[in-house]
Amino acid sequence: MGLIIAFTAIAVVNTLAMATSDRAREFALLRLVGTTRRQLFRMLGLETLAVVLVAAVLGTAIAAATLCAFASGMTGGLPHVPPAAYLAVVASAAALALLATFLPARLAPRPPPATTINTRE
């Protein structure tokens, strides 16, 4: 199970890092129209937290539906997950998402915005 979680985490981090890196021209355009780095990072933080919130709600709903059906069929009861363990999983996912978003975003605006905006994708 740990290996599956590790591979999933690597895939998610890789996808988020590539998606953030691909937005370098967008970041350059925002910088050219007057957005500060602080505003840019605040926008990315809010986007990432919204995605984490939606992912946590949908993941919880899907897992609950599946596990409740399985547990009631096998034991006649409902599954139990300690709240601390649930919060640890969600916090770990949020930390990974923020890390995978902010590291590439920190490197993307390094060249001058006018240089970045003129590059081809």
Side-chain angles (χ1 to χ4, degrees):
M1 180 91 151
L3 195 57
I4 292 170
I5 292 171
F7 280 128
T8 304
I10 290 169
V12 168
V13 166
N14 189 29
T15 302
L16 279 171
M18 288 187 329
T20 304
S21 296
D22 285 344
R23 295 174 67 185
R25 293 184 75 206
E26 176 189 344
F27 299 154
L29 180 62
L30 286 170
R31 297 278 298 159
L32 285 173
V33 297
T35 305
T36 64
R37 288 178 67 89
R38 187 175 190 188
Q39 290 171 329
L40 184 67
F41 286 123
R42 189 177 334 139
M43 175 195 74
L44 285 172
L46 291 173
E47 285 178 358
T48 303
L49 289 177
V51 168
V52 167
L53 180 65
V54 169
V57 168
L58 288 177
T60 301
I62 291 168
T66 305
L67 291 175
C68 285
F70 182 76
S72 69
M74 294 300 285
T75 63
L78 293 175
H80 172 71
V81 176
Y86 176 78
L87 289 176
V89 169
V90 172
S92 299
L96 272 176
L98 287 170
L99 183 71
T101 300
F102 280 117
L103 282 180
R106 193 132 178 93
L107 298 174
R110 296 263 178 194
T115 305
T116 305
I117 203 78
N118 289 327
T119 59
R120 300 265 181 213
E121 289 185 9

